[in-house]
Amino acid sequence: MNFKLAHNNINVLDLERSMNFYSKALGLVETSRKDMDGFTLVYLGDRQTPHKLELTWMKDRKTAYDLGENEFHLAFITDDMEKAHALHKEMNCICYENKAMNLYFIQDPDGYWLEIMPER
């Protein structure tokens, strides 16, 4: 038996705002979309790996999601930490830095944390 990662899912309150954030902050692009009666699924990819980020937008949802104490996060590798940091600083989305480990986190519009680290 063999398993491969396919995608990670997060629920978003404002689909267009989230798509704009992921495009600007991380260069992700829409690879497919499924529109259903009560929800829309949008899959984003990095153009380099088969792994996808699935954004789920519940069309009738009006309140922010409670992320609780879950310390779940996605991690992204960059080939230019200095340029990435400058972009995220300009976007005002850096929420935590660990200079000793040479990494930092950004926060998306729904409060999800995303780790940014250099190629090693």
Side-chain angles (χ1 to χ4, degrees):
M1 187 176 310
N2 186 0
F3 296 95
K4 294 187 286 187
L5 286 170
H7 67 264
N8 289 86
N9 166 264
I10 59 173
N11 288 6
V12 300
L13 192 57
D14 182 328
L15 182 59
E16 291 306 313
R17 186 174 93 172
S18 292
M19 289 177 62
N20 289 337
F21 173 85
Y22 282 96
S23 174
K24 182 175 181 179
L26 299 165
L28 300 184
V29 297
E30 181 175 336
T31 62
S32 65
R33 177 184 293 242
K34 294 179 184 175
D35 286 309
M36 309 299 278
D37 285 338
F39 64 94
T40 297
L41 303 176
V42 174
Y43 294 88
L44 304 177
D46 62 13
R47 297 185 194 137
Q48 300 172 72
T49 65
H51 194 91
K52 304 292 182 236
L53 176 60
E54 177 189 77
L55 304 181
T56 299
W57 174 51
M58 306 302 288
K59 295 176 182 178
D60 293 335
R61 178 94 183 192
K62 303 294 183 225
T63 57
Y65 288 94
D66 179 359
L67 302 183
E69 294 181 28
N70 185 4
E71 200 148 325
F72 167 84
H73 70 270
L74 300 173
F76 292 83
I77 295 170
T78 181
D79 63 352
D80 192 334
M81 278 294 278
E82 189 174 314
K83 190 173 180 181
H85 190 274
L87 170 66
H88 296 142
K89 186 173 183 176
E90 175 188 316
M91 292 177 66
N92 197 32
C93 62
I94 297 174
C95 57
Y96 177 76
E97 292 188 64
N98 186 329
K99 293 182 192 261
M101 294 181 68
N102 193 27
L103 58 87
Y104 63 93
F105 288 81
I106 59 175
Q107 190 169 13
D108 88 347
D110 291 283
Y112 295 102
W113 282 30
L114 308 160
E115 182 178 351
I116 308 298
M117 59 186 187
E119 289 182 315
R120 302 190 197 265

